[in-house]
Amino acid sequence: MSDLSDCKKEIADVLKRLLKTMPAYKEVQFFMECVINHYLTGREKNNSDIVVIGSNIPEELVLVEDRMPYWILGGSRVSSMWADDILPRDTDPVSRSGLGYILSGFAGNSLILIPLVSDSTRKLAFILKARGLKVHTLHFPPVKDAQSLLEWRRQYALCRDAVALHLKRPLSKRALQKSREQVLAAKRQIQDFMEVSRDTLGGTGRMFILGSYYCADHLSEWSFQLDCLTEKLRKGHKRQTSEKSKVLLLGSPVYFPNYKVPFLIEEAGLELFWQADYTTLSMQGYTGLEQMREEHEADIFYRNDTSPAYVKNNSLYERIEKLLKEKEIDGVVYHVLKGQIEYDFELGRFEELFEKLDIPVFRLETDYNYQDIEQLRIRLEAFSEVLNQRRYGRFGKETVAV
Amino acid sequence: MAEPDEVNGRQRELFIRKSTRVAASYLKRAKALSEMPDAAKPFFDVLENVYIRLTDVQKPEDMKSIGTLCVMVPAELVYAAGAMPVRLCSGSYTAYSVGDDYIPRDACPLVKAVMGFGKMKVLPAFDNCTLLVAPVTCDCKKKLAGVVDSVKNTVPLQVPPLKREDADTEVFLKELYRLIPILEKETGRQVTAKSLAEGINMVGNAQYEMSEFLKYRRHVPALMSGTQILSVMNAYSYMPVKMWAKQMHRLNEEMKLRLVQENFVSRKNQPRILVTGSPIAFPNIKIPLLIEEMGGVFAADETCMGERGLYDPVSVIDPSFDGMMRALASRYTKPCTCPVFVDNSQRIYRIKQMIRENNIQGVIYHVLRGCLVYDYEYQLMEEAMGKMDIPIIRVESDYNEEDVEQLRIRIEAFIELIKLKEYAAVHERQ
């Protein structure tokens, strides 16, 4: 049987480390509590109507009257061990963690929504169904074309109907539009936060605040608190980080509490400048109301989706190309979680892009265990040296942090 | 320093030498297992031509080859467009080691072998395909479709992850309709109701011969070695369906004769083993070979390069063009037991059925390294086999010969276990 105390300890350890890197603002408290409630109290209460495994779902479908679903992103090392006996050895830790979490006795009466982005998500859906849980899957046609768009709309409608049936209330167009606007407002807020927090918060801290989105109970409250924090940061002191080499974290998503990689990046003297996995990009993917009016409600999500569910992940490629044009990035850490083969396939194309732009890229493969941490530290430190040397060459000795 | 072209030339030479040597050695071992029926020889010749003599597939000169990457591509449709489907899923160890440089380390070896042949351009059967239809099934095949287009004009074929509802089959139907103009453009021939019906008939005929053959395969004691049978089925990938069916008919005649003459290749009490799991593509036939070399009978297989590929015929109820297309879409999704589908409980029913029909005493669950979808289903299979009191082992392997001795020991022990179990059962009955 799963031991919650290990889970609590894992979360407490990460929060303690995070607190040291965050400014002591009372506005941060809300986000801390949000995460604690989600992983500990919320889990124990076990009263969510809708559970989503993964993040890749149009949020308006699961945001019911401002109430967020229970998101299981799969970042816990402890819960990943709970599924050890059921899953094949080579399963990725995110799927392990997600399944472990559910099988520890969670979500018995909930509707579990599973976006099918990989083989593991398909098989997870079956395992849960076979155990008598109520599961609905959402398929992403792997080639984005006009025909796929129609199929995607069907998938969207099926998901909407499944949610409505489970909640026993219709999800009207108006209700969906209202939720969509709420999500939009939150995303606008997130963009503002990202701009302001760059000079005031560390990369891991920013990642944590963003990640707490998936722990919130009520979206409007979370948005309001983010607004308060952004205002506070706007007025606050700026950090002295300009001398550090700025890295972009790409590849497999990093989910709380597995902050091993971001912690290591910062400990190696690098600035975690931007995180660009599909979860984070979807949170920052701001779509104007104009576009929303012009397109079919379901299309926006599919068009912009950067998950690895596609034969060619052009959306991600274009987003990264744009990001590299807009932001000054010194290096890229390409994070591959063991078993997430899709990201490894996508690396080749990105390597060509980075080579063209003369940006060094560092492939970092790991899982949720800590055995490889010293090895990764050494490699990251060496990468940091390389980036600093390059900065030295570019800007002169005085701008380089020693 | 050598010029790049020279290096490339030398690499190609080395590649050809190594890959043909491996293929020849496996073919020789398969032939040597037991007295091979004369009618099986043409199938072995085909494998020899493709993998050792490095010649193109045997087909009319004006017929184009369309490469396919798994059993989800309807061969009927390709024949209807006037082309020949060539299944490019390969088991070449040498191509795998080349593909390893272009495909991520943890990807499955089959995908690497495909990429390896694409890069080396030494296999006419691969190189002469003007188009590659790549079904988007598992993660590796999905991403391969995005990578292999650098060496071959590729069309991804989307496969729905669910298959219960008619709406899911409809998704695949639309994909097949989307494929038609692409094939027509490639071959310059139109897919008509008549050509489609012909295509369905041709493949149906091959399936009929196959079903007849399977009756002989079920016979105890065995009439032909299982590894040789798998090679015959592998040859289907490189033969025009009419020719394959014709040779299969001859083989069936010979099997009939063998049965009458009681010309068996095994003893009655040899352990009968079913192999299921990841595809066993020529020349990677080390597992069936090991089973038979260690005294077992490779009595049945539930893999996509074997019986599954030719299992269910297309059943046309409505003979209109759309009716035939619907029948195709239905045949290639509904009875398919590929683990890429969310709910694949059908596969367990199918294996249970095969165990009963083929008098199976043990199951070897083959997992190619990186083939996660099959690995996921192992636990369910283990439970089902436990209930049937059928021993099962999971055998993980790769495209190289380094693990052969380890596999040999495990398979030998497994066969011993089945023998002991049978001995105990007989003893108890007495």
Side-chain angles (χ1 to χ4, degrees), chain B residues 274 276 302 337 345-360 363 380-390:
Chain B
L274 175 137
T276 181
E302 198 281 324
T337 51
S345 15
Q346 252 172 308
R347 181 161 166 246
I348 293 178
Y349 304 139
R350 173 78 189 126
I351 289 174
K352 282 181 180 173
Q353 185 190 13
M354 288 178 87
I355 286 173
R356 277 191 297 270
E357 285 175 353
N358 293 284
N359 298 304
I360 298 297
V363 174
L380 281 174
M381 199 62 68
E382 206 179 19
E383 281 167 23
M385 293 305 109
K387 281 178 195 160
M388 289 179 83
D389 195 26
I390 296 283

mmCIF file of all heavy atoms in Angstrom, chain B residues 274 276 302 337 345-360 363 380-390:
data_model
loop_
_atom_site.group_PDB
_atom_site.id
_atom_site.type_symbol
_atom_site.label_atom_id
_atom_site.label_comp_id
_atom_site.label_asym_id
_atom_site.label_seq_id
_atom_site.Cartn_x
_atom_site.Cartn_y
_atom_site.Cartn_z
ATOM 1 N N LEU B 274 3.927 -21.460 -28.500
ATOM 2 C CA LEU B 274 3.389 -20.334 -29.260
ATOM 3 C C LEU B 274 4.254 -19.107 -28.974
ATOM 4 O O LEU B 274 4.630 -18.876 -27.837
ATOM 5 C CB LEU B 274 1.939 -20.065 -28.844
ATOM 6 C CG LEU B 274 1.246 -18.845 -29.443
ATOM 7 C CD1 LEU B 274 -0.180 -19.202 -29.858
ATOM 8 C CD2 LEU B 274 1.187 -17.666 -28.500
ATOM 9 N N THR B 276 4.370 -15.015 -29.169
ATOM 10 C CA THR B 276 3.576 -13.806 -29.384
ATOM 11 C C THR B 276 4.412 -12.596 -29.001
ATOM 12 O O THR B 276 5.446 -12.729 -28.365
ATOM 13 C CB THR B 276 2.254 -13.865 -28.590
ATOM 14 O OG1 THR B 276 1.511 -12.677 -28.855
ATOM 15 C CG2 THR B 276 2.468 -13.977 -27.096
ATOM 16 N N GLU B 302 1.559 -15.459 -32.833
ATOM 17 C CA GLU B 302 0.576 -14.375 -32.872
ATOM 18 C C GLU B 302 1.398 -13.089 -32.990
ATOM 19 O O GLU B 302 1.580 -12.356 -32.029
ATOM 20 C CB GLU B 302 -0.285 -14.406 -31.599
ATOM 21 C CG GLU B 302 -1.581 -13.625 -31.697
ATOM 22 C CD GLU B 302 -1.420 -12.128 -31.522
ATOM 23 O OE1 GLU B 302 -0.574 -11.717 -30.705
ATOM 24 O OE2 GLU B 302 -2.126 -11.367 -32.189
ATOM 25 N N THR B 337 -5.202 -7.199 -33.595
ATOM 26 C CA THR B 337 -4.823 -7.376 -32.190
ATOM 27 C C THR B 337 -3.498 -6.687 -31.871
ATOM 28 O O THR B 337 -2.762 -7.109 -30.976
ATOM 29 C CB THR B 337 -4.746 -8.873 -31.837
ATOM 30 O OG1 THR B 337 -3.926 -9.512 -32.819
ATOM 31 C CG2 THR B 337 -6.089 -9.532 -31.795
ATOM 32 N N SER B 345 -8.143 -6.197 -25.471
ATOM 33 C CA SER B 345 -8.422 -7.463 -24.790
ATOM 34 C C SER B 345 -8.656 -8.599 -25.787
ATOM 35 O O SER B 345 -8.472 -9.777 -25.456
ATOM 36 C CB SER B 345 -9.613 -7.339 -23.840
ATOM 37 O OG SER B 345 -10.331 -6.196 -24.080
ATOM 38 N N GLN B 346 -9.042 -8.209 -27.007
ATOM 39 C CA GLN B 346 -9.228 -9.192 -28.086
ATOM 40 C C GLN B 346 -8.002 -10.091 -28.267
ATOM 41 O O GLN B 346 -8.138 -11.245 -28.633
ATOM 42 C CB GLN B 346 -9.382 -8.421 -29.382
ATOM 43 C CG GLN B 346 -10.741 -8.394 -29.964
ATOM 44 C CD GLN B 346 -10.742 -7.418 -31.124
ATOM 45 O OE1 GLN B 346 -10.335 -6.277 -30.991
ATOM 46 N NE2 GLN B 346 -11.190 -7.876 -32.260
ATOM 47 N N ARG B 347 -6.836 -9.490 -28.060
ATOM 48 C CA ARG B 347 -5.603 -10.247 -28.296
ATOM 49 C C ARG B 347 -5.535 -11.452 -27.365
ATOM 50 O O ARG B 347 -5.104 -12.537 -27.768
ATOM 51 C CB ARG B 347 -4.395 -9.325 -28.078
ATOM 52 C CG ARG B 347 -3.085 -10.015 -28.322
ATOM 53 C CD ARG B 347 -1.965 -9.034 -28.554
ATOM 54 N NE ARG B 347 -0.704 -9.726 -28.458
ATOM 55 C CZ ARG B 347 0.199 -9.508 -27.520
ATOM 56 N NH1 ARG B 347 -0.007 -8.594 -26.599
ATOM 57 N NH2 ARG B 347 1.310 -10.201 -27.497
ATOM 58 N N ILE B 348 -5.986 -11.253 -26.134
ATOM 59 C CA ILE B 348 -5.946 -12.369 -25.182
ATOM 60 C C ILE B 348 -6.915 -13.471 -25.611
ATOM 61 O O ILE B 348 -6.584 -14.655 -25.573
ATOM 62 C CB ILE B 348 -6.247 -11.860 -23.759
ATOM 63 C CG1 ILE B 348 -5.081 -10.960 -23.347
ATOM 64 C CG2 ILE B 348 -6.456 -12.994 -22.764
ATOM 65 C CD1 ILE B 348 -5.179 -10.329 -22.032
ATOM 66 N N TYR B 349 -8.108 -13.055 -26.072
ATOM 67 C CA TYR B 349 -9.076 -14.063 -26.539
ATOM 68 C C TYR B 349 -8.480 -14.846 -27.711
ATOM 69 O O TYR B 349 -8.617 -16.056 -27.807
ATOM 70 C CB TYR B 349 -10.401 -13.416 -26.979
ATOM 71 C CG TYR B 349 -11.054 -12.581 -25.912
ATOM 72 C CD1 TYR B 349 -11.649 -11.362 -26.216
ATOM 73 C CD2 TYR B 349 -11.074 -13.001 -24.584
ATOM 74 C CE1 TYR B 349 -12.239 -10.586 -25.237
ATOM 75 C CE2 TYR B 349 -11.663 -12.227 -23.599
ATOM 76 C CZ TYR B 349 -12.240 -11.018 -23.930
ATOM 77 O OH TYR B 349 -12.812 -10.255 -22.962
ATOM 78 N N ARG B 350 -7.832 -14.091 -28.604
ATOM 79 C CA ARG B 350 -7.247 -14.725 -29.795
ATOM 80 C C ARG B 350 -6.164 -15.732 -29.385
ATOM 81 O O ARG B 350 -6.111 -16.844 -29.901
ATOM 82 C CB ARG B 350 -6.671 -13.618 -30.703
ATOM 83 C CG ARG B 350 -5.889 -14.115 -31.899
ATOM 84 C CD ARG B 350 -6.767 -14.607 -33.023
ATOM 85 N NE ARG B 350 -5.978 -15.257 -34.059
ATOM 86 C CZ ARG B 350 -6.201 -16.475 -34.516
ATOM 87 N NH1 ARG B 350 -7.203 -17.188 -34.065
ATOM 88 N NH2 ARG B 350 -5.443 -16.999 -35.451
ATOM 89 N N ILE B 351 -5.344 -15.328 -28.438
ATOM 90 C CA ILE B 351 -4.268 -16.238 -28.019
ATOM 91 C C ILE B 351 -4.844 -17.468 -27.317
ATOM 92 O O ILE B 351 -4.395 -18.594 -27.558
ATOM 93 C CB ILE B 351 -3.242 -15.487 -27.148
ATOM 94 C CG1 ILE B 351 -2.452 -14.529 -28.056
ATOM 95 C CG2 ILE B 351 -2.299 -16.431 -26.418
ATOM 96 C CD1 ILE B 351 -1.499 -13.617 -27.370
ATOM 97 N N LYS B 352 -5.873 -17.249 -26.521
ATOM 98 C CA LYS B 352 -6.511 -18.397 -25.856
ATOM 99 C C LYS B 352 -7.056 -19.367 -26.901
ATOM 100 O O LYS B 352 -6.914 -20.580 -26.783
ATOM 101 C CB LYS B 352 -7.657 -17.910 -24.967
ATOM 102 C CG LYS B 352 -7.212 -17.324 -23.641
ATOM 103 C CD LYS B 352 -8.441 -16.914 -22.876
ATOM 104 C CE LYS B 352 -8.095 -16.323 -21.535
ATOM 105 N NZ LYS B 352 -9.279 -15.771 -20.870
ATOM 106 N N GLN B 353 -7.664 -18.769 -27.936
ATOM 107 C CA GLN B 353 -8.218 -19.589 -29.024
ATOM 108 C C GLN B 353 -7.082 -20.364 -29.722
ATOM 109 O O GLN B 353 -7.205 -21.566 -29.980
ATOM 110 C CB GLN B 353 -8.895 -18.639 -30.018
ATOM 111 C CG GLN B 353 -9.617 -19.316 -31.154
ATOM 112 C CD GLN B 353 -10.058 -18.309 -32.226
ATOM 113 O OE1 GLN B 353 -9.628 -17.161 -32.240
ATOM 114 N NE2 GLN B 353 -10.906 -18.753 -33.108
ATOM 115 N N MET B 354 -5.984 -19.693 -29.961
ATOM 116 C CA MET B 354 -4.851 -20.332 -30.641
ATOM 117 C C MET B 354 -4.263 -21.452 -29.780
ATOM 118 O O MET B 354 -3.836 -22.482 -30.300
ATOM 119 C CB MET B 354 -3.764 -19.297 -30.965
ATOM 120 C CG MET B 354 -4.161 -18.356 -32.079
ATOM 121 S SD MET B 354 -2.900 -17.137 -32.396
ATOM 122 C CE MET B 354 -1.875 -18.016 -33.538
ATOM 123 N N ILE B 355 -4.245 -21.233 -28.477
ATOM 124 C CA ILE B 355 -3.695 -22.254 -27.573
ATOM 125 C C ILE B 355 -4.523 -23.537 -27.676
ATOM 126 O O ILE B 355 -3.983 -24.640 -27.761
ATOM 127 C CB ILE B 355 -3.646 -21.712 -26.121
ATOM 128 C CG1 ILE B 355 -2.502 -20.695 -26.014
ATOM 129 C CG2 ILE B 355 -3.482 -22.841 -25.096
ATOM 130 C CD1 ILE B 355 -2.428 -19.958 -24.719
ATOM 131 N N ARG B 356 -5.840 -23.338 -27.713
ATOM 132 C CA ARG B 356 -6.714 -24.514 -27.801
ATOM 133 C C ARG B 356 -6.577 -25.201 -29.155
ATOM 134 O O ARG B 356 -6.420 -26.406 -29.246
ATOM 135 C CB ARG B 356 -8.168 -24.096 -27.558
ATOM 136 C CG ARG B 356 -8.512 -23.993 -26.073
ATOM 137 C CD ARG B 356 -10.007 -23.854 -25.877
ATOM 138 N NE ARG B 356 -10.506 -22.628 -26.482
ATOM 139 C CZ ARG B 356 -10.593 -21.473 -25.850
ATOM 140 N NH1 ARG B 356 -10.223 -21.366 -24.594
ATOM 141 N NH2 ARG B 356 -11.060 -20.395 -26.452
ATOM 142 N N GLU B 357 -6.611 -24.384 -30.209
ATOM 143 C CA GLU B 357 -6.591 -24.959 -31.563
ATOM 144 C C GLU B 357 -5.267 -25.654 -31.891
ATOM 145 O O GLU B 357 -5.231 -26.605 -32.659
ATOM 146 C CB GLU B 357 -6.825 -23.854 -32.600
ATOM 147 C CG GLU B 357 -8.251 -23.395 -32.677
ATOM 148 C CD GLU B 357 -8.433 -22.215 -33.616
ATOM 149 O OE1 GLU B 357 -7.425 -21.667 -34.109
ATOM 150 O OE2 GLU B 357 -9.583 -21.833 -33.831
ATOM 151 N N ASN B 358 -4.177 -25.108 -31.348
ATOM 152 C CA ASN B 358 -2.850 -25.610 -31.731
ATOM 153 C C ASN B 358 -2.211 -26.526 -30.690
ATOM 154 O O ASN B 358 -1.038 -26.843 -30.798
ATOM 155 C CB ASN B 358 -1.910 -24.439 -32.009
ATOM 156 C CG ASN B 358 -2.317 -23.655 -33.238
ATOM 157 O OD1 ASN B 358 -2.103 -24.084 -34.364
ATOM 158 N ND2 ASN B 358 -2.940 -22.520 -33.026
ATOM 159 N N ASN B 359 -2.968 -26.887 -29.678
ATOM 160 C CA ASN B 359 -2.444 -27.742 -28.589
ATOM 161 C C ASN B 359 -1.142 -27.176 -27.999
ATOM 162 O O ASN B 359 -0.137 -27.872 -27.899
ATOM 163 C CB ASN B 359 -2.168 -29.171 -29.084
ATOM 164 C CG ASN B 359 -3.424 -29.831 -29.550
ATOM 165 O OD1 ASN B 359 -4.386 -29.921 -28.792
ATOM 166 N ND2 ASN B 359 -3.447 -30.257 -30.797
ATOM 167 N N ILE B 360 -1.197 -25.929 -27.663
ATOM 168 C CA ILE B 360 -0.001 -25.240 -27.167
ATOM 169 C C ILE B 360 0.252 -25.603 -25.710
ATOM 170 O O ILE B 360 -0.661 -25.667 -24.895
ATOM 171 C CB ILE B 360 -0.168 -23.703 -27.334
ATOM 172 C CG1 ILE B 360 -0.319 -23.324 -28.795
ATOM 173 C CG2 ILE B 360 0.971 -22.930 -26.670
ATOM 174 C CD1 ILE B 360 0.849 -23.629 -29.692
ATOM 175 N N VAL B 363 4.052 -20.588 -23.766
ATOM 176 C CA VAL B 363 4.039 -19.353 -24.564
ATOM 177 C C VAL B 363 5.327 -18.571 -24.330
ATOM 178 O O VAL B 363 5.742 -18.375 -23.181
ATOM 179 C CB VAL B 363 2.817 -18.472 -24.199
ATOM 180 C CG1 VAL B 363 2.871 -17.126 -24.912
ATOM 181 C CG2 VAL B 363 1.522 -19.192 -24.525
ATOM 182 N N LEU B 380 -1.058 -8.752 -18.316
ATOM 183 C CA LEU B 380 -2.401 -9.289 -18.576
ATOM 184 C C LEU B 380 -2.299 -10.706 -19.129
ATOM 185 O O LEU B 380 -3.058 -11.610 -18.757
ATOM 186 C CB LEU B 380 -3.115 -8.432 -19.612
ATOM 187 C CG LEU B 380 -3.721 -7.125 -19.124
ATOM 188 C CD1 LEU B 380 -4.248 -6.340 -20.310
ATOM 189 C CD2 LEU B 380 -4.859 -7.416 -18.158
ATOM 190 N N MET B 381 -1.327 -10.862 -20.027
ATOM 191 C CA MET B 381 -1.121 -12.159 -20.664
ATOM 192 C C MET B 381 -0.683 -13.199 -19.621
ATOM 193 O O MET B 381 -1.154 -14.337 -19.634
ATOM 194 C CB MET B 381 -0.042 -11.997 -21.738
ATOM 195 C CG MET B 381 -0.017 -13.066 -22.779
ATOM 196 S SD MET B 381 -1.530 -13.133 -23.713
ATOM 197 C CE MET B 381 -1.434 -11.599 -24.596
ATOM 198 N N GLU B 382 0.175 -12.748 -18.746
ATOM 199 C CA GLU B 382 0.679 -13.645 -17.698
ATOM 200 C C GLU B 382 -0.471 -14.142 -16.812
ATOM 201 O O GLU B 382 -0.566 -15.328 -16.498
ATOM 202 C CB GLU B 382 1.697 -12.870 -16.857
ATOM 203 C CG GLU B 382 2.716 -13.752 -16.174
ATOM 204 C CD GLU B 382 3.705 -12.942 -15.373
ATOM 205 O OE1 GLU B 382 3.432 -11.778 -15.037
ATOM 206 O OE2 GLU B 382 4.776 -13.493 -15.064
ATOM 207 N N GLU B 383 -1.359 -13.193 -16.478
ATOM 208 C CA GLU B 383 -2.522 -13.567 -15.655
ATOM 209 C C GLU B 383 -3.412 -14.563 -16.389
ATOM 210 O O GLU B 383 -3.847 -15.572 -15.828
ATOM 211 C CB GLU B 383 -3.347 -12.322 -15.310
ATOM 212 C CG GLU B 383 -2.750 -11.505 -14.169
ATOM 213 C CD GLU B 383 -3.384 -10.128 -14.060
ATOM 214 O OE1 GLU B 383 -4.523 -9.946 -14.525
ATOM 215 O OE2 GLU B 383 -2.697 -9.234 -13.505
ATOM 216 N N ALA B 384 -3.677 -14.268 -17.667
ATOM 217 C CA ALA B 384 -4.552 -15.144 -18.463
ATOM 218 C C ALA B 384 -3.939 -16.534 -18.613
ATOM 219 O O ALA B 384 -4.632 -17.548 -18.500
ATOM 220 C CB ALA B 384 -4.798 -14.523 -19.830
ATOM 221 N N MET B 385 -2.640 -16.578 -18.841
ATOM 222 C CA MET B 385 -1.973 -17.879 -19.015
ATOM 223 C C MET B 385 -1.950 -18.641 -17.687
ATOM 224 O O MET B 385 -2.096 -19.862 -17.658
ATOM 225 C CB MET B 385 -0.541 -17.697 -19.533
ATOM 226 C CG MET B 385 -0.430 -17.152 -20.929
ATOM 227 S SD MET B 385 -1.320 -18.105 -22.153
ATOM 228 C CE MET B 385 -2.667 -17.030 -22.549
ATOM 229 N N GLY B 386 -1.782 -17.894 -16.611
ATOM 230 C CA GLY B 386 -1.799 -18.514 -15.275
ATOM 231 C C GLY B 386 -3.107 -19.237 -15.034
ATOM 232 O O GLY B 386 -3.138 -20.363 -14.524
ATOM 233 N N LYS B 387 -4.214 -18.586 -15.441
ATOM 234 C CA LYS B 387 -5.534 -19.192 -15.253
ATOM 235 C C LYS B 387 -5.689 -20.452 -16.103
ATOM 236 O O LYS B 387 -6.420 -21.366 -15.753
ATOM 237 C CB LYS B 387 -6.630 -18.182 -15.617
ATOM 238 C CG LYS B 387 -6.873 -17.169 -14.507
ATOM 239 C CD LYS B 387 -7.921 -16.172 -14.917
ATOM 240 C CE LYS B 387 -7.868 -14.972 -13.968
ATOM 241 N NZ LYS B 387 -8.480 -13.801 -14.547
ATOM 242 N N MET B 388 -4.997 -20.467 -17.252
ATOM 243 C CA MET B 388 -5.103 -21.632 -18.143
ATOM 244 C C MET B 388 -4.044 -22.681 -17.809
ATOM 245 O O MET B 388 -3.955 -23.702 -18.491
ATOM 246 C CB MET B 388 -4.905 -21.198 -19.599
ATOM 247 C CG MET B 388 -6.044 -20.400 -20.168
ATOM 248 S SD MET B 388 -5.679 -19.925 -21.864
ATOM 249 C CE MET B 388 -6.163 -21.396 -22.760
ATOM 250 N N ASP B 389 -3.220 -22.382 -16.845
ATOM 251 C CA ASP B 389 -2.115 -23.254 -16.452
ATOM 252 C C ASP B 389 -1.140 -23.504 -17.616
ATOM 253 O O ASP B 389 -0.664 -24.611 -17.834
ATOM 254 C CB ASP B 389 -2.663 -24.590 -15.903
ATOM 255 C CG ASP B 389 -1.573 -25.356 -15.151
ATOM 256 O OD1 ASP B 389 -0.642 -24.691 -14.656
ATOM 257 O OD2 ASP B 389 -1.646 -26.597 -15.087
ATOM 258 N N ILE B 390 -0.898 -22.451 -18.356
ATOM 259 C CA ILE B 390 0.058 -22.525 -19.473
ATOM 260 C C ILE B 390 1.302 -21.728 -19.066
ATOM 261 O O ILE B 390 1.197 -20.535 -18.773
ATOM 262 C CB ILE B 390 -0.556 -21.920 -20.761
ATOM 263 C CG1 ILE B 390 -1.759 -22.716 -21.233
ATOM 264 C CG2 ILE B 390 0.486 -21.770 -21.874
ATOM 265 C CD1 ILE B 390 -1.456 -24.006 -21.937
#
